[in-house]
């Protein structure tokens, strides 16, 4: 019937489809099992496909003239894949005997990574020697699962130089892996932990690559199936002058302290040195317990960046701010004079001047030149603490400068409200006198004072300090360029600034200047000395005497700029327990300026000062 014919046609069609499908499956199975059977049998029994990471070379770091400061070198890391190395303990024992070690370090590494997948390589030793590499290669067939990977490793060209500025690398911690700040990092990666290396981690790290490889039963690579190239990090060109940096470090050798040199026209950092320093390479290569203890237990704190982290009383360098405030607030003018008999009486206490016999009649310019305490006691008394504090903050004290380095300290600018909140005790008038000469509760960093003196030098613009000039790709294309940034202006008139600048010029070039010993023949330096007391003196104690204990000796300050008429460099120097700014800190600044401005200052040594022994040991 018609209905049966239709059913047969449909059934035939279904059967044909089924036969066709099974035919395709049969052909495919025949191809896989007969034609390619031997190859797939080999792969299934002995080989597998794995992904291997390719670390990106970290960006290089140069100084402003293109001199290489931080490089990468090839390093050989010894790893083991537990899945391929069975029995693992036997393989590690063989490996340790070939390398001539006891193997404890390698077993510890395996123990720490026991929870990882067995096909993930475990690094047994970083940066093995050429001899160790040769031993592994010679015995490769006896060491299943053992592999040597060539990876770029950080190398600091001149260990210890600019260590606090450049920083260092170290292995990422579990806490850093989970904090979310390092999304492209994995366990075992190294990251910037300090300085420029940390601040510009995202620019320097590059982008990881990878390759798909076929390995045999012993974990040896048979062939590379596919590769995705790694992209190197950006190369950084800093603002520092490496020659000036090394000169600063040379001048600080054997001392604890800091030197900061800025371009007052832009805020770019020319040198930033902190002493004592440390070798950054030991953080990359790994250090012993003794090396770590020598760093953290050193009383001179080599791991502290004293330029931005250490806080000191500004001493007489603060008199610059007291002078600005007094002139601008109208409590003194260019013709105002105070008589200095060597002391000032306030209430029932006598506040002494550094010069026992007194300075006589002083105006603001001569008071800056000779650093007369009595003059500034009286200016501070007329101003009051809160007006002084307002000008100090306007000069950048009491807050971070914004330099792109980690852990910068803001310092402290005391006010009456601050003391009441901190101690519950009202502000006392005598405390204002101490603050006016840079003692008391005042705390600053050398970088803050460098920024302040730069603003005096350039006519009042306060620049954010910069350490990065620009960043480039490996092919040379500039992708980031940092421009100078003004973050504030000194709230003073041109007349006020001119008077203070004249006083600072006379500090070095005047007949009674406290830093006249660093005078140069062809370059005028302007600056201010300071001697910061680190302990309280009794009322009856002679101010000219210093304690014998090294840690109780005053800190020595000097801030300066040059040439005075058209400044190109501003310098802040702090020597811990250096006693006198004129004898300990000022010569360091003078040598730096002479080095930087050569040949303008060529052929002229720092001049020996004249005057009495007491005058030579003044502020």
């Amino acid at each position: 019937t018609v209905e049966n014919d239709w059913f047969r046609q449909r059934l035939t069609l279904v059967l044909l489809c089924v036969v066709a499908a099974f035919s395709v499956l049969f052909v495919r199975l025949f191809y896989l099992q007969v034609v390619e059977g031997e190859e797939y049998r080999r792969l299934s029994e002995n080989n597998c496909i794995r992904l291997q990471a390719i670390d990106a070379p970290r960006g290089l770091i140069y100084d402003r003239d293109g001199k290489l400061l931080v490089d990468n070198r090839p390093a050989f890391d010894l790893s083991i894949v537990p899945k391929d190395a069975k029995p693992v303990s036997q393989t590690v024992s063989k490996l340790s005997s070939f390398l001539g070690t006891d193997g404890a370090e390698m077993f510890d590494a395996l123990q720490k990574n026991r929870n990882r997948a067995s096909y993930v390589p475990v690094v047994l030793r970083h940066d093995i020697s050429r001899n160790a590499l040769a031993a592994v290669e010679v015995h490769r067939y006896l060491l299943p699962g053992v592999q040597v990977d060539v990876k770029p490793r950080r190398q600091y060209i001149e260990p210890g130089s600019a260590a606090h500025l450049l920083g260092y690398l170290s292995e990422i911690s579990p806490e850093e892996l989970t904090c979310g700040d390092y999304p492209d990092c994995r366990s075992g990666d190294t990251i910037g932990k300090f300085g420029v290396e940390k601040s510009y981690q995202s620019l320097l790290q590059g982008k990881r690559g990878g390759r798909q490889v076929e390995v045999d039963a012993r974990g040896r690579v048979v062939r590379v199936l596919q590769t995705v190239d790694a992209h190197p990090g950006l190369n950084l060109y800093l603002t520092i002058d490496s020659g000036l940096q090394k000169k600063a470090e040379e001048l600080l050798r054997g001392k604890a302290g800091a030197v900061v040199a800025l371009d007052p026209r832009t805020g770019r950092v020319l040198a930033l040195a902190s002493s004592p320093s440390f070798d950054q390479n030991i953080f990359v290569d790994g250090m012993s317990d003794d090396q770590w203890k020598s760093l953290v237990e050193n009383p001179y704190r080599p791991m502290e960046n004293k330029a931005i982290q250490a806080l000191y009383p500004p001493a007489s360098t603060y008199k610059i701010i007291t002078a600005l405030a007094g002139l601008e607030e109208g409590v003194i003018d260019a013709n105002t004079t105070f008589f200095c008999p060597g002391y000032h009486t306030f209430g029932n206490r006598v506040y002494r001047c550094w010069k026992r016999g007194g300075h006589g009649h002083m105006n603001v310019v001569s008071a800056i030149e000779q650093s007369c305490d009595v003059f500034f006691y009286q200016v501070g008394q007329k101003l009051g603490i809160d007006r002084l504090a307002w000008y100090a903050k306007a000069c950048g004290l009491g807050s971070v400068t914004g330099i792109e380095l980690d852990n910068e300290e803001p310092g402290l600018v005391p006010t009456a409200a601050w003391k009441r909140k901190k101690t519950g005790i009202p502000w006392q008038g005598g405390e204002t006198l101490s603050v006016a000469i840079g003692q008391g509760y005042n705390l600053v960093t050398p970088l803050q004072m460098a920024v302040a003196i730069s603003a005096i030098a350039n006519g009042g613009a306060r620049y954010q300090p910069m350490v990065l000039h620009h960043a480039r790709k490996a092919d040379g294309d500039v992708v980031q360029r940092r421009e100078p940034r003004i973050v504030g202006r000194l709230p003073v008139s041109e007349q006020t600034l001119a008077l203070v600048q004249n006083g600072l010029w006379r500090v070095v070039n005047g007949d009674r200047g406290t830093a006249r010993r660093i005078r140069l023949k062809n370059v005028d330096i302007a600056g201010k000395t300071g001697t910061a007391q680190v302990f309280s003196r009794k009322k009856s104690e002679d101010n000219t005497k210093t304690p014998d204990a090294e840690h109780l000796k005053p800190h020595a300050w000097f801030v300066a700029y040059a040439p005075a008429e058209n400044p190109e460099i501003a310098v802040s120097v702090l020597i811990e327990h250096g006693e006198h700014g004129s004898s300990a800190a000022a010569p360091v600044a003078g040598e730096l300026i002479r080095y930087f401005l050569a040949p303008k200052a060529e052929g002229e040594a720092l001049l020996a000062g004249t005057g009495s022994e007491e005058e030579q040991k003044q502020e």
Side-chain angles (χ1 to χ4, degrees):
T1 64
V2 174
E3 183 177 346
N4 288 337
D5 291 341
W6 177 84
F7 180 77
R8 288 193 194 95
Q9 291 174 1
R10 297 295 298 271
L11 183 59
T12 301
L13 183 61
V14 170
L15 289 174
L16 288 174
C17 290
V18 171
V19 170
F22 275 97
S23 297
V24 171
L25 287 173
F26 176 79
V27 171
R28 182 60 179 164
L29 286 172
F30 180 83
Y31 175 79
L32 293 176
Q33 294 184 12
V34 178
V35 178
E36 294 289 337
E38 187 62 31
E39 173 67 11
Y40 282 102
R41 187 178 299 107
R42 182 180 65 82
L43 287 175
S44 66
E45 291 178 355
N46 299 315
N47 295 11
C48 64
I49 307 300
R50 291 183 184 162
L51 296 177
Q52 295 180 341
I54 302 176
D55 290 339
R58 195 170 176 86
L60 309 182
I61 302 178
Y62 300 84
D63 80 346
R64 68 176 191 162
D65 296 319
K67 181 180 178 181
L68 184 62
L69 304 177
V70 185
D71 196 4
N72 297 317
R73 63 175 175 83
F76 301 96
D77 289 351
L78 183 63
S79 303
I80 190 169
V81 180
K83 181 180 179 181
D84 300 329
K86 295 177 181 179
V88 176
S89 59
Q90 183 177 329
T91 300
V92 173
S93 296
K94 287 182 182 178
L95 178 60
S96 62
S97 66
F98 295 149
L99 298 179
T101 64
D102 62 6
E105 176 188 352
M106 299 184 206
F107 282 110
D108 286 345
L110 282 169
Q111 183 66 19
K112 289 178 183 177
N113 293 275
R114 63 185 182 278
N115 294 325
R116 297 174 69 179
S118 62
Y119 57 83
V120 176
V122 174
V123 178
L124 299 178
R125 288 179 63 182
H126 290 284
D127 199 14
I128 63 174
S129 66
R130 300 276 178 172
N131 289 338
L133 173 63
V136 172
E137 291 298 327
V138 167
H139 300 95
R140 176 172 290 278
Y141 286 94
L142 299 174
L143 299 171
V146 175
Q147 60 190 43
V148 176
D149 301 311
V150 183
K151 295 186 177 181
R153 187 168 292 270
R154 212 55 161 167
Q155 182 178 26
Y156 298 92
I157 305 297
E158 297 188 26
S161 182
H164 298 87
L165 176 66
L166 296 173
Y168 58 85
L169 301 184
S170 191
E171 187 171 337
I172 191 168
S173 68
E175 294 77 15
E176 288 166 330
L177 272 174
T178 57
C179 73
D181 294 336
Y182 306 96
D184 298 324
C185 291
R186 302 174 183 175
S187 178
D189 286 352
T190 55
I191 60 171
K193 295 290 185 97
F194 193 63
V196 166
E197 293 276 27
K198 180 176 183 180
S199 298
Y200 299 104
Q201 166 71 19
S202 61
L203 300 182
L204 288 164
Q205 70 176 353
K207 186 177 180 181
R208 193 192 314 270
R211 57 177 167 260
Q212 189 180 53
V213 298
E214 178 187 326
V215 298
D216 63 16
R218 289 176 169 264
R220 295 172 299 195
V221 175
V222 176
R223 57 175 171 162
V224 177
L225 302 178
Q226 188 177 1
T227 300
V228 176
D229 292 331
H231 296 283
L234 299 179
N235 296 330
L236 303 188
Y237 288 76
L238 305 184
T239 61
I240 68 168
D241 180 318
S242 59
L244 188 70
Q245 176 74 26
K246 285 192 284 188
K247 184 68 174 177
E249 292 162 354
E250 174 190 324
L251 293 167
L252 284 176
R253 190 169 297 130
K255 306 178 181 74
V259 169
V260 179
L262 303 179
D263 184 339
R265 302 163 296 184
T266 61
R268 291 185 172 122
V269 177
L270 301 173
L272 191 148
S274 179
S275 179
S277 188
F278 60 91
D279 180 359
Q280 312 100 295
N281 287 314
I282 64 175
F283 288 90
V284 179
D285 300 335
M287 68 177 81
S288 66
D289 289 339
D290 289 340
Q291 286 177 312
W292 176 244
K293 286 180 180 179
S294 70
L295 290 175
V296 299
E297 296 177 2
N298 189 320
Y300 297 106
R301 314 179 310 282
M303 294 301 297
E304 178 183 59
N305 185 348
K306 295 178 176 63
I308 67 170
Q309 293 177 307
L311 296 172
Y312 310 93
S316 290
T317 62
Y318 190 90
K319 291 172 182 175
I320 298 170
I321 294 169
T322 305
L324 292 174
L327 290 166
E328 203 62 27
E329 290 295 306
V331 303
I332 58 171
D333 59 29
N335 300 314
T336 301
T337 61
F338 295 120
F339 181 74
C340 171
Y343 61 89
H344 177 67
T345 303
F346 182 82
N348 61 353
R349 182 174 173 182
V350 174
Y351 293 81
R352 298 189 178 278
C353 185
W354 70 264
K355 189 173 183 180
R356 182 169 23 181
H359 291 93
H361 291 283
M362 292 273 107
N363 61 25
V364 66
V365 173
S366 60
I368 293 173
E369 175 189 1
Q370 299 182 49
S371 198
C372 176
D373 293 331
V374 169
F375 182 92
F376 290 101
Y377 286 148
Q378 298 189 63
V379 176
Q381 184 179 332
K382 292 177 180 292
L383 282 168
I385 186 59
D386 290 331
R387 282 200 287 182
L388 263 177
W390 189 86
Y391 280 91
K393 291 177 180 178
C395 289
L397 307 188
S399 60
V400 296
T401 65
I403 191 171
E404 294 168 302
L405 296 175
D406 231 23
N407 301 318
E408 182 186 6
E409 288 287 343
L412 175 62
V413 173
T415 63
W418 168 85
K419 186 190 176 189
R420 182 176 289 277
K421 181 179 179 181
K422 185 76 174 177
T423 68
I425 302 172
W427 188 267
Q428 306 298 311
E431 293 174 316
T432 305
L433 274 62
S434 294
V435 169
I437 64 164
Q439 295 292 158
Y441 296 109
N442 278 321
L443 290 173
V444 299
T445 65
L447 178 61
Q448 287 175 327
M449 295 310 300
V451 171
I453 198 65
S454 292
I456 298 291
N458 67 34
R462 187 157 54 86
Y463 283 94
Q464 177 181 337
M466 299 167 49
V467 296
L468 176 62
H469 190 278
H470 66 273
R472 292 183 181 178
K473 292 182 179 179
D475 60 12
D477 288 346
V478 176
V479 293
Q480 286 197 32
R481 188 180 297 276
R482 300 297 170 90
E483 299 298 332
R485 179 170 173 247
I486 296 175
V487 293
R489 291 191 176 273
L490 302 185
V492 298
S493 65
E494 292 182 6
Q495 293 80 5
T496 291
L497 205 53
L499 279 172
V500 172
Q501 288 171 336
N502 186 22
L504 296 175
W505 179 86
R506 288 177 57 175
V507 167
V508 179
N509 301 283
D511 292 338
R512 292 288 181 179
T514 55
R516 60 188 181 276
R517 288 192 291 173
I518 70 164
R519 196 178 304 163
L520 297 177
K521 182 177 180 181
N522 299 319
V523 174
D524 282 354
I525 301 174
K528 184 71 191 77
T529 54
T531 300
Q533 304 296 336
V534 296
F535 77 113
S536 298
R537 300 179 183 275
K538 296 178 181 179
K539 296 179 184 179
S540 60
E541 187 178 4
D542 188 341
N543 195 44
T544 63
K545 296 179 181 178
T546 57
D548 293 331
E550 186 70 27
H551 71 282
L552 295 180
K553 291 180 179 179
H555 301 317
W557 274 102
F558 190 65
V559 294
Y561 57 88
E565 65 281 1
N566 186 24
E568 298 175 27
I569 182 173
V571 179
S572 171
V573 178
L574 184 283
I575 306 296
E576 289 186 358
H577 311 297
E579 293 199 77
H580 304 289
S582 60
S583 59
V588 172
E591 289 286 357
L592 275 178
I593 290 169
R594 182 174 62 165
Y595 176 90
F596 186 75
L597 295 178
K600 293 179 182 178
E602 67 183 354
E604 181 64 22
L606 298 180
L607 298 179
T610 58
S612 67
E613 182 178 353
E614 179 186 13
E615 288 174 325
Q616 290 304 304
K617 289 184 178 180
Q618 58 190 296
E619 299 234 346

